[in-house]
Amino acid sequence: MNINWRSGSREICFQNRTLILKSSGLSRDIDFSAGYPRTLRVKSGDDVLAVANQQPDVRIAGLYPFAEFTKPGMQPEIISCCIKEMPESDRDAVYLEMICFEKFRRIEILYRYILYDTIPAIGIEIELISGVTPLVYRGCRHYEKFNKIRDFSCCSIMDTLTLPESKPCKSLEFRMRTDYHNDLLVENCDRSDGLYCGNIFTGGQVIWLQEAPPSEERMEIFEADFLVTENVISSCGSGFTAFDIIPGQRMKSCRHTLLIGRDCGEACRKYLQRRGYGQNNSAGKVTVNPWGGGNFNTLVNEEFLLREISAAAECRADIYQIDDGFQSGGNLGDLSALNRYITPEYWQFASDRFPEGPDKVVWHAQKNGIKLSLWFAPGCNREFDDESLTVLLNWQKRYGINIFKLDGVVLDSCRAHDNFRKLLESLKSSGITVNLDVTNGLRGGVCEFGEFGPVFLENRYVNQTWVDVPYDPEATLKNLWQLSKYIPAGNIQIEVPSPQDIIEDFFGQNGRPPRPDRYDFKFWLAAAMPALPLLWFQPSKQSTKIRHDCREMMKIYRECQRLISGGDIVPVGAVPGCGITGFIGNGRICFAYRTLKADGEANIFPHHYDSRLIYSSSTSELHPDGRVILSEPGSFAIWEIKVDKKDEIL
């Protein structure tokens, strides 16, 4: 059972029960002599980043493996080792799958290692079939009453490294449910208890990225996502708990990926781009969603949508997204509040508002060059084991709709999580992209499911007094700036409401948030341009000036997209609100923003030979040494730059 395989920067060798994996300068030696993986060494070039583990790399809470094998049949045996073709979502990845079996408890475990060409990344997933249930006590009361010291028996570990020496550590925690707060990124540094929460961990050059829901929204029992004990680091959480395991049923984990790099943000962005984040039907597209204008579910009918689509085309949008309210059966409240059993008939267009069904609306959208998208809530109260796939495929087949906003998602069990992923995989194989709403519920956040479509990040209103967090262009820019350091900006939808919809008595009074129109509307639009602009209003009800400003800025957005061309977008400068801030796209385009209290000059861009001003809302300068000057508070500018003499600026 020997393997010697090489392609590009990737190598796989399995001999004498030792597995050697190499990926673009990252190498990892793993000992399987005991029937389970134990890392011997991790190197990046000549640098030794990890030495031999004393414990197994992978541990499943209450089940696998035992620390000592004292009875016949308790030592796992390797029953197969092979290289598998990658699925579409992993593009140029290759899979090495090792299957081990323990007779004593009839446990079969598949270790899947994923290697990528040209980037130093090795991912791991496991699939487990157990003949028995784990021996783990359940319940918080047990832990609180009977465990006088911290109990690790409920902790599943997906990967472990032993560093040659202790390193400063940090985890990055992405907080979603954005309906309730505006602090989307938390950094946890050098915790004395060794417990870190988040999706990303850094310790020296070692980086782990967990493709899993946000830390606050997981079903795990253990209180942390990474565990540090002296110089031993563990990436925790399999995606299923000990109490999800049913004898004979296959359990699949989430993916934990080991990355190597001195720049954590760059390593994560490049990896997620390779995973397909930002590469879908919505890439580089402008979406109109009328929900932000208010009362959409009472306005929506055939006549209203015909006007809306014409106005969306005037705004130079690409997609018009019909939100909750078109369907005959009811609205999201039927699921979220009343727990209704939904059938396919629920999702038919309401006949009293659409006497011809959606045919006339579909035809009008095609005539105006607008793609239609629909809001949809799959069956969260049936663990997504419902007719959602059939409904969506029927819409695609009959009306050509291949973009859907998925809302009302609740991943409150392992089965729900697995079924939801299967739904997404089936949709993707049929050419359908989803917008993944992360504003509420138990959902995948920004680090999971991004290969299936962009994240619908926030609901931010200027016309609703009940909201906890209203729209503010400065805060919105800050959220994008912070997230885009680690997550490809092209996979994040950033909303732009209309200043015309502002409720006058809500903003600017004592105890009230600041008025968003202290910034010009074009600044609102420009703040979304490094990402995916989401026009969060009803275009048919806007003034000629609002639609004209949209048209002008979205024309510039398309020029920027041509220069970015799917490349990397890097945040630079100060955190918005503290100084001039900006983004660099594909090394060819620079976005600069001056918030109201920021100084007018900063050195934030790279040295370059030449530049061309694409647009500026005030007098602005960009010097070859990277120094930018914006003359007016609350202004912005965009340049194309030439970083090499052979480059050409059109």
Side-chain angles (χ1 to χ4, degrees), residues 585-649:
N586 202 24
R588 299 186 62 190
I589 187 169
C590 298
F591 299 86
Y593 306 85
R594 181 182 176 185
T595 50
L596 291 176
K597 296 181 180 180
D599 294 333
E601 181 176 339
N603 198 308
I604 63 172
F605 293 126
H607 288 239
H608 54 276
Y609 290 96
D610 196 8
S611 64
R612 175 179 70 91
L613 181 65
I614 296 175
Y615 187 88
S616 179
S617 64
S618 68
T619 303
S620 59
E621 301 175 28
L622 177 61
H623 294 263
D625 63 357
R627 183 166 51 95
V628 61
I629 298 174
L630 297 176
S631 62
E632 298 293 331
S635 63
F636 67 94
I638 307 169
W639 290 271
E640 179 185 1
I641 63 171
K642 176 181 175 181
V643 297
D644 194 288
K645 290 182 178 179
K646 69 177 183 294
D647 292 338
E648 182 178 348
I649 288 185

Side-chain angles (χ1 to χ4, degrees), residues 17 199 229 242 270 277 291 293 338 401 412-413 435 472 505 515 525 543 557 571 610 623-624:
R17 290 180 169 254
N199 287 85
T229 306
K270 287 187 174 180
Y277 281 48
W291 191 266
L338 303 178
I401 298 173
D412 58 354
S413 71
N435 301 155
D472 181 72
D505 61 354
R515 287 185 65 102
L525 292 161
S543 67
Y557 171 74
D610 196 8
H623 294 263

Side-chain angles (χ1 to χ4, degrees), residues 26 28 42 44 49-50 120-124 159-161 163 167-172 174 199-211 226 233-235 255-272 447 485-486:
L26 168 62
R28 185 169 188 171
V42 174
S44 176
L49 303 182
I122 299 177
I124 182 171
D159 204 2
T160 307
L161 289 181
L163 308 188
K167 298 284 186 180
C169 297
K170 177 173 72 173
S171 69
L172 299 160
F174 299 102
N199 287 85
I200 298 173
F201 178 91
T202 65
Q205 294 186 58
V206 171
I207 303 165
W208 264 304
L209 190 152
Q210 298 181 358
E211 294 186 40
F226 300 95
I233 305 171
S234 297
S235 187
R255 182 177 303 186
H256 294 228
T257 300
L258 173 64
L259 305 165
I260 299 299
R262 299 185 184 279
D263 186 328
C264 174
E266 180 181 24
C268 292
R269 287 194 314 273
K270 287 187 174 180
Y271 169 73
L272 292 175
C447 285
K485 184 174 181 180
Y486 307 99

